[in-house]
Structures are given as structure tokens and as C-alpha cells.
Amino acid sequence: MAPMTSGKTRPVRLADIAKAAGVSHGTASNVFARPEIVREEVRERVKAAAEAMGYGGPDPKGRLLRAGKVNAIGVATGEPLSYFFDDPFARVMMASISQACDATGAGISLVSAANSEQLAWNIQSALVDGFIVFCMEGDSRLVQLARERKLPFVALDLDSDDQTVAAIGIDNIAGAGLAARHLAELGHRRFAVLALPCADAGFGPTTQAQVEMALYSGTRDRLRGYFAELSSFDIDVSLVPIYETVNDEKSVWAGLDHIFAGAEPPTAILAMSDRIALHALDWLRQHDIAVPGDVSIVGFDGVPEGAISEPPLTTVAQPIAEMGRRAVKAILENDGSLSRQLLPVDLVVRASSGPAPA
Amino acid sequence: MAPMTSGKTRPVRLADIAKAAGVSHGTASNVFARPEIVREEVRERVKAAAEAMGYGGPDPKGRLLRAGKVNAIGVATGEPLSYFFDDPFARVMMASISQACDATGAGISLVSAANSEQLAWNIQSALVDGFIVFCMEGDSRLVQLARERKLPFVALDLDSDDQTVAAIGIDNIAGAGLAARHLAELGHRRFAVLALPCADAGFGPTTQAQVEMALYSGTRDRLRGYFAELSSFDIDVSLVPIYETVNDEKSVWAGLDHIFAGAEPPTAILAMSDRIALHALDWLRQHDIAVPGDVSIVGFDGVPEGAISEPPLTTVAQPIAEMGRRAVKAILENDGSLSRQLLPVDLVVRASSGPAPA
DNA sequence: CACTTTCGTTGGATCGGTTCAAATTTTGAC
DNA sequence: GTCAAAATTTGAACCGATCCAACGAAAGTG
């Protein structure tokens, strides 16, 4: 039997086109990459051959090897891929990263995995020029993996004191201070703190001392910021209850159950994330506690949901767009010197905070 | 001057490691790709050399060429990249695509571009095994580009009658019929339609005849579905006002201003998207029109925002998760035969629809 | 007509790995 | 101690392009 057009469809290569058109592969390449330097007659002949053989243009796989640059940045997280589309903070951040990438024509590869073995492989084999790493609380594994790739990478919102990794974060202490000062200036004197996790230990009431030993420096710094500012108003921070949540509805509600069970419930709540604050708003509404009439609350992050909640949430807004822009810039224009950057935060006053009740 | 360790950091290649460890590059490759077939002593030696020279593991760029498969699927749209994180429908779809990819260990590359020249290049040079194309209304350019890459691709929710492109869509006619029947069975007899765009012509009142000539078959089919069902209830559809929106607040509000200006305002509104319906809900609330007391409204798409709106939205839900799963499966397990699939839709009855007022 | 430009084309080198048949070494059996 | 079988290692081929020095032909110059 003659070979014929065998069952398998072997892909058409540039070299096949060149042969068919009777030119060298160098010329064939030029037809696609720099058509202007090829004589028109030849150009047309090659294009015709390509068309006839069903050639889909130069395969980027081949080009890539030579070019070196992928022109795409990888965004990595330890969470499942859908995190990028579900989580409010991630979405805003991704939108800003997207814009920065669009502006420079770079693509985005989402890197993640169900299990951590897969994750390692996915990071090792990602076709990207660099990584932006979404650092969940204490997720140093991800940073380690990214570092091993020896590609430029920046960590976002890094909860770690490792000064050797490039990171773009915010001044948690100053931000928390802003929130505390705002409430104190409104006359509040009885506070409660709904904290982010300190470690992987679950949730429940905790103490300042324990938070000081926290695995996650974000949680620690925000508490420090709160308490430093409150102290300057002569408030005895040792009396301020701290409840460690896991940033979900259940633990936040449990925290509020706990906090409001006492004889002298707080008039002001410092929530370490908007998500916590929004869940708290639900709890307060269900318990007929007026916000900000009876209780004021200030969140942290500045996610868009906070602007349309009932009431709209006073919060410490991270400059999310700016962070995204800088991260992309750091990867794309990396001159080898990625540094740590702390961006300032803004207090956004909305309707969830008001004067302390008389 | 001797070369020394020159200023430029030239990347370390596998061959360098092999030489340093005194083995062939074949063996060096095996150390990383199939460590179990390499004698332990050699393995350790090579690994040590890699460590010492700062080798970040085999470069995927090199592997790719040989392997052929990228193990990533490209998701393309003509909109800016941030569309994936902003648009409710896109987000739900992406979340489901993400899950399907996570399950199979595939990655996701987001492909898009600010201008259409960039878009062509981005599609031509995307390192992916196939494309899922988000077809905006009548965006055939994107389909054309994807087709030229000669890679497997499926169009999502394709608004085109081109039977030669693989597409996963829904039965718009049947879905619209469900919505119309629901309202008719609740006793409604005075209807209005808030339509999606028919072409790129802007917004304003339109007619059934014009919609029949619509560029976008989705809009056309949904209207056909509505009217076929309404006719079967002996409703004179020629009297039903149709207002073409561009799926944003401004055009929806203008449409309602127009529709409710008449002497006999409708008691039931058929909205061709949830986004339209949600904007309509805002307008109705601002005009003190009770939903569903005075007016009932049914949306289309089934985005999650519809479940938490005030009131929650009755809608025709697309099986978004299933569509995402099938699209990913079609690309990844592509046996060369991608087909058109029409998935059934579901009517989800919530609180925005009720009996017609007496 | 010889000589320099200019223009287009060629073919080899290169990018950084993987793979596999063949060569070599080690191990096991008798 | 010899030989076959098993375990390792080698080195060339290949993946699909781009790039560039060198070359041949056509055009321009004196």
C-alpha cells in the first residue's frame, strides 16, 4: 500500500511550505515575520502554498524558543483557579492587573492547582515571563516554588517578614491606625476587634499576646496599628476583646455572639477585612442593632461590595489598582532589582461609622 | 581583559549542568524528568551541580517544543481582559471553566486585546492547545481568527448561524418561551420586551420586523420564543412594545421611561438578560412601582446577582457550569470532531414574578 | 566593461529541552 | 570464570521556528 494521505493528520510545518513553494525555510519564515523584505512574487507563492496545505501560520511554540520572551505573566495562587473569579479582593486586583497587561499587550496565565503536588508542577511548567503571586495568609510554599523558577516574581500583599522576596503590600500598621483613630475621634471608647486568622488554628477569642506571636504578620500589624492608635486616646487596649475569625460568615457570627454576650457590648467594631465587616453587618441587622446608631464598624480592603452594602461600609481602602499596575510593571520591566514596596492606604468614610451613642 | 563572570547573567542551561556534573545531557534530562531510572549517586551529583549553578529546573520553553502539548486552554474575547473579572456572566462561566481545568490539571490563558490588530497577534501567538471563544454579539472576527490558528476551538453562546463552527449554546427559543409562558400563566396580558442589541446601531424602540433582520441571532431567537408562546395565549404580539437596549443602565432606563409613558403600561416585562432585568428593578423601585405587585419581570441568563437582588429575580437560567465543562472537555479531549451543542435552559422562579394585578 | 551597491535568498547555527536506539556497565546464574 | 540478562548511560536526532553571515544576481556608476 502506498502511504497516501495517512489517517493521522501530521501538522504542517514551515519547512513543508518552503519545500512546496520551492524556497528555503529562511525565506518562508520571512514571508510571515517580515513580509516586506521578500519579493512580491515569492511572497505570494509561499502564501499560496501555505493556504493550500492548510498551514495555520508559524507555530508560536517554535518561535518561543528562539524569542525567549513569552510575553505573558503568570498569576499564581494556592487556591483553586476559580478563586480569581469568586473572591472580591482577587477580582478587583485581577481587573487592575488585566488593565496593566492590556496596556502593554501582555497576556495572563492563571496558575493554580487543586492539590499541592500539581501546584508545584504547574508553576514549574508555566510558560510565563514572571509571576505575580497571590499570597494567602502564610502561604510561603507558593513563594518558595516561584523563587525556584528563577523568574522575576512579586508577591502581593505578602504576609511575611522575609525581606528577600519582592513584594508589593500596604502599610498595615498605618492603615489600621487610620481606622482606629477615625472611630476614637467619633467618641467611641468601647471597642472590639474581629481579626483575621493568626495561624491555621481555627477561630475563637484570642489575646493581644497571642496575636503578637501570629504566623501571619498582616494580622499582627493590623492589630498593632489599632492598639497603638487607641492607646494614644487613653483607651485600655487590654480590655478590648479580640476574636479571631477565618474570614467567613460562620466564624464572624460566632465572634459577634461572643462579643455581644458581655455586659458592656462595644459601640465600635474594628474588622480586619471588608468580608468580615460585611458579614458583621448582616449579623447586626438580624439582631436589630442599628449601624451606625448603636454600633459603628470599619472594615479593611476597600472591595467594591462595601460601597453598595446597607449601610455602605467605612473602610481602609488598599490602592488595589495601583498595586496591580506596579506588580505588572515590576515583572515586565524587571531590571533584576525587584524591591519591597509599601503603599499607603486611604480611609474611606461611608455610612457604617458615626458618633458614639450617648 | 579576561571574560570573567561577565555582567550579563546568561541563563543556565541543562547542558551546562550536564557538563559540570560530568554526564551527558540525556542523563541530566532524565534526572529531572524520570529520576527513577538514574542511579542514585549520579542523580545526587547532577542535582548538586544544578543547585550550585542556580539552575531553576528544565525550562518549559524547551520542553514544550518536543512535547507538543501546552496543557493550557486559551479563553479569548474581543473585550478588554478585565471583562473576565467584571462581567457577571463571564465570571460565572470562567469559574466553571476554571473548575473543569483544575480537575484535569490544565491551565488557563486569557487572550484579549485593546485593539483588534493586537488581538490578531495575540491569538496567533497564544501558547495554548485550543480556544474557548467568548462570542459577543456578532463578533465573527474572533471566530475567524481562532479558526485560522487551526487549533480546536469552541464558541460559547454563539450568536451566529454558521453551522461549521463548533459551538456550545442554549436553546434561546425554548428558553424565551418558558419565560413568556410563565408570565402568561400568571394571568398577565400586557407585556413589554427589553431586548438585547440587534446590531451595533444603538438603542431605542424597535419592531418585530426589525428584530427579525437582526444581526445577532440570540436577540432574534429570544424574541421569537417570547412571541410564539404569547401568541398561543391569544395575545396580539404586534401590540407588545419592544425596546432595544445596549445592556446597560442608561439604555434600560430610557427604555422603561418610554414604555411606561404610554396610557396602558405593561404588567409584565420580558428582559433578555439579567443585567437588563436588574437595572429595570432599580428603575421600578425608584418609580415606586411594586414588583411583583404592579409589574412582574423575568430575566435571562441566571447570574448569581439575580438571587440576591431585591426582590430576587425570576429568570431563565443557562446551564453555565455545564457549558463551561463541555467546552473544556471539547478542547482537551478533542478527537477532531467538535460539534454544535444546544443545551436546555431552566426557568428559575423567584420573587420578581407574580399574578397579574386585578 | 569592470566595479561597487543594493536587493533577495540561502543554509547553517541556535533556542533548551526530550527521546530512543545503541553502547556500556553491572548484576546474577551456573 | 564465563556469559546472558538487566540496569544505566550515551549521543545523535528532533521539535518548529528565527536570525544572520555569506552569497548570487540585478542595478547603478565611472
Side-chain angles (χ1 to χ4, degrees):
Chain A
M1 243 195 283
M4 307 200 40
T5 31
S6 74
K8 269 286 175 226
T9 43
R10 46 16 214 339
V12 189
R13 300 189 313 289
L14 186 54
D16 302 328
I17 305 298
K19 178 139 41 121
V23 299
S24 74
H25 60 264
T27 297
S29 173
N30 285 335
V31 169
F32 293 97
R34 300 127 84 189
E36 69 281 2
I37 72 164
V38 177
R39 192 153 43 99
E40 175 163 0
E41 182 223 319
V42 176
R43 198 193 316 150
E44 292 310 323
R45 186 148 40 94
V46 173
K47 277 189 175 164
E51 181 67 29
M53 303 180 71
Y55 182 62
D59 188 332
K61 293 202 275 295
R63 177 182 16 240
L64 174 59
L65 193 48
R66 191 103 244 276
K69 281 260 164 268
V70 183
N71 199 32
I73 77 168
V75 186
T77 174
E79 311 282 305
L81 272 177
S82 56
Y83 166 76
F84 291 118
F85 304 98
D86 289 337
D87 184 84
F89 180 80
R91 273 172 36 212
V92 179
M93 183 64 85
M94 287 308 298
S96 103
I97 291 176
S98 299
Q99 276 162 22
C101 284
D102 255 343
T104 62
I108 292 182
S109 273
L110 269 18
V111 178
S112 149
N115 58 70
S116 70
E117 202 175 331
Q118 264 286 357
L119 182 61
W121 172 253
N122 285 353
I123 290 203
Q124 281 158 13
S125 63
L127 291 157
V128 298
D129 296 321
F131 287 102
I132 293 178
V133 179
F134 268 67
C135 277
M136 292 304 87
E137 309 284 334
D139 209 339
S140 57
R141 190 174 87 269
L142 202 50
V143 170
Q144 178 59 20
L145 247 17
R147 195 205 305 267
E148 279 169 6
R149 254 313 278 283
K150 307 270 152 92
L151 286 177
F153 80 96
V154 287
L156 240 32
D157 209 16
L158 185 69
D159 238 338
S160 141
D161 294 322
D162 184 344
Q163 293 296 323
T164 68
V165 342
I168 294 178
I170 54 160
D171 190 336
N172 281 305
I173 297 186
L178 249 32
R181 161 178 294 265
H182 169 65
L183 289 169
E185 285 179 345
L186 284 168
H188 293 274
R189 287 300 175 269
R190 294 204 310 279
F191 286 80
V193 172
L194 287 173
L196 282 166
C198 297
D200 307 304
F203 58 92
T206 186
T207 65
Q208 185 181 3
Q210 280 185 298
V211 175
E212 274 301 323
M213 300 186 319
L215 188 52
Y216 308 143
S217 67
T219 305
R220 188 180 61 220
D221 287 346
R222 289 184 191 180
L223 190 69
R224 283 187 189 162
Y226 288 149
F227 279 9
E229 199 63 36
L230 292 184
S231 297
S232 79
F233 281 83
D234 287 327
I235 295 169
D236 183 352
V237 297
S238 69
L239 300 178
V240 173
I242 308 168
Y243 195 94
E244 177 182 351
T245 75
V246 291
N247 209 20
D248 71 349
E249 185 178 84
K250 188 178 153 208
S251 59
V252 169
W253 289 13
L256 290 164
D257 284 338
H258 174 84
I259 288 169
F260 280 86
E264 281 212 322
T267 66
I269 296 175
L270 291 159
M272 284 198 194
S273 81
D274 282 352
R275 220 161 135 173
I276 291 178
L278 293 171
H279 287 312
L281 243 28
D282 288 340
W283 187 94
L284 292 167
R285 185 176 323 112
Q286 280 173 32
H287 288 72
D288 284 324
I289 299 175
V291 177
D294 300 322
V295 169
S296 287
I297 181 165
V298 177
F300 207 116
D301 284 346
V303 305
E305 280 82 344
I308 57 169
S309 61
E310 187 48 48
L313 187 65
T314 294
T315 191
V316 179
Q318 301 194 31
I320 302 186
E322 179 63 17
M323 293 169 76
R325 245 191 319 270
R326 291 205 188 201
V328 172
K329 187 164 150 52
I331 302 293
L332 259 23
E333 307 174 1
N334 170 38
D335 55 349
S337 65
L338 299 173
S339 62
R340 287 178 85 79
Q341 306 184 9
L342 276 196
L343 268 42
V345 293
D346 259 339
L347 179 72
V348 177
V349 179
R350 299 205 189 91
S352 73
S353 58
Chain B
M1 246 194 281
M4 305 203 39
T5 32
S6 75
K8 270 286 176 222
T9 44
R10 30 68 218 300
V12 189
R13 299 187 315 289
L14 185 54
D16 302 328
I17 306 298
K19 179 140 39 121
V23 298
S24 72
H25 54 249
T27 297
S29 174
N30 285 334
V31 169
F32 293 97
R34 301 126 85 190
E36 69 282 2
I37 73 165
V38 178
R39 192 154 42 97
E40 175 164 359
E41 182 224 318
V42 177
R43 198 193 316 149
E44 292 310 323
R45 186 149 40 94
V46 173
K47 277 189 175 165
E51 180 67 30
M53 303 181 68
Y55 183 61
D59 188 332
K61 291 203 275 296
R63 185 196 354 258
L64 175 60
L65 196 48
R66 189 105 245 269
K69 280 257 165 271
V70 182
N71 198 33
I73 76 168
V75 185
T77 175
E79 311 282 307
L81 272 177
S82 56
Y83 166 77
F84 292 118
F85 304 98
D86 288 338
D87 184 85
F89 180 80
R91 273 173 35 212
V92 179
M93 182 64 86
M94 287 308 298
S96 102
I97 291 176
S98 299
Q99 275 161 23
C101 283
D102 255 342
T104 61
I108 293 183
S109 274
L110 268 19
V111 178
S112 151
N115 58 70
S116 71
E117 201 176 330
Q118 265 286 358
L119 182 61
W121 172 253
N122 285 353
I123 291 202
Q124 281 159 14
S125 64
L127 291 158
V128 297
D129 296 322
F131 287 101
I132 293 179
V133 179
F134 267 67
C135 279
M136 290 305 87
E137 310 283 335
D139 208 340
S140 57
R141 190 176 88 268
L142 203 49
V143 170
Q144 177 59 20
L145 248 15
R147 195 205 306 266
E148 279 169 6
R149 254 313 277 281
K150 308 269 152 91
L151 286 177
F153 80 96
V154 288
L156 240 31
D157 208 18
L158 185 68
D159 238 339
S160 140
D161 295 320
D162 183 345
Q163 293 297 321
T164 68
V165 344
I168 295 179
I170 54 161
D171 191 335
N172 281 306
I173 298 187
L178 249 32
R181 161 179 295 266
H182 169 66
L183 289 169
E185 285 179 346
L186 284 169
H188 293 275
R189 287 302 174 267
R190 293 205 310 277
F191 286 80
V193 173
L194 287 172
L196 282 166
C198 298
D200 307 303
F203 57 93
T206 185
T207 65
Q208 185 180 2
Q210 280 185 298
V211 176
E212 273 303 321
M213 301 185 318
L215 188 53
Y216 308 143
S217 67
T219 304
R220 187 178 63 219
D221 287 347
R222 290 184 189 178
L223 190 69
R224 283 187 188 162
Y226 289 148
F227 280 8
E229 198 63 38
L230 292 184
S231 297
S232 79
F233 280 85
D234 288 327
I235 295 169
D236 182 353
V237 297
S238 69
L239 301 178
V240 172
I242 308 169
Y243 194 95
E244 177 182 351
T245 75
V246 290
N247 210 21
D248 71 350
E249 186 179 83
K250 187 178 155 207
S251 59
V252 170
W253 289 13
L256 289 164
D257 283 339
H258 174 85
I259 289 168
F260 279 87
E264 280 213 321
T267 66
I269 296 175
L270 291 160
M272 283 198 195
S273 81
D274 282 353
R275 220 161 135 174
I276 291 177
L278 293 170
H279 286 312
L281 243 28
D282 288 338
W283 187 94
L284 291 167
R285 185 177 323 111
Q286 281 173 32
H287 288 73
D288 283 322
I289 299 176
V291 177
D294 301 323
V295 168
S296 287
I297 180 165
V298 177
F300 207 117
D301 285 345
V303 303
E305 280 82 345
I308 56 168
S309 60
E310 186 52 48
L313 186 66
T314 295
T315 192
V316 179
Q318 302 195 32
I320 301 186
E322 179 65 16
M323 293 169 76
R325 246 192 317 272
R326 291 205 190 202
V328 172
K329 189 165 149 88
I331 302 293
L332 258 22
E333 306 173 1
N334 170 40
D335 55 347
S337 66
L338 300 173
S339 62
R340 285 178 86 79
Q341 304 183 11
L342 275 196
L343 268 41
V345 293
D346 259 339
L347 180 73
V348 177
V349 179
R350 299 206 188 92
S352 73
S353 59

